[in-house]
Amino acid sequence: MTMKSTFDRMMENPEWKAGFEKSYGEFLISEFMCEQMEHSDLSVRELAARAGVSPTTIQQLRTGKAENVKVKTLLSVLHELGYSLMPVASAL
């Protein structure tokens, strides 16, 4: 009999799993932005000016505290980091 890890057992709880997945997605966006900004040597203010958004928006995205971000805003930021957003079918 294989023992499940604590994480595996917690992921069986639908509410906990949903909260984890939401937080993890925010963490990934934050880490991606920080890494790309560092790689491109862009400051918060420089990226904001290039993307046509406020420095506050960039900082909120970087820290995972952005809520209700418009797709247009995200696309603009991604474009300035050298990326685009492509729809991918979910493996649900």
Side-chain angles (χ1 to χ4, degrees):
M1 180 174 172
T2 304
M3 297 280 296
K4 290 185 179 180
S5 68
T6 301
F7 178 77
D8 289 334
R9 287 193 307 273
M10 293 176 82
M11 288 297 278
E12 291 175 350
N13 177 322
E15 286 182 28
W16 192 89
K17 182 178 179 179
F20 171 82
E21 288 175 347
K22 180 179 185 285
S23 297
Y24 188 67
E26 293 167 356
F27 169 76
L28 288 177
I29 290 170
S30 172
E31 286 298 303
F32 170 79
M33 283 192 62
C34 290
E35 183 177 308
Q36 295 309 310
M37 288 175 69
E38 184 176 322
H39 176 74
S40 300
D41 197 29
L42 283 171
S43 70
V44 169
R45 291 186 185 279
E46 288 172 314
L47 179 56
R50 290 182 184 187
V53 300
S54 72
T56 301
T57 298
I58 299 298
Q59 192 59 29
Q60 288 175 338
L61 285 167
R62 282 174 41 107
T63 60
K65 295 180 181 174
E67 294 185 17
N68 302 317
V69 177
K70 293 181 182 179
V71 173
K72 180 180 177 181
T73 300
L74 186 56
L75 290 173
S76 181
V77 171
L78 287 173
H79 174 76
E80 292 305 323
L81 291 172
Y83 290 84
S84 62
L85 188 62
M86 292 181 56
V88 176
S90 176
L92 294 178

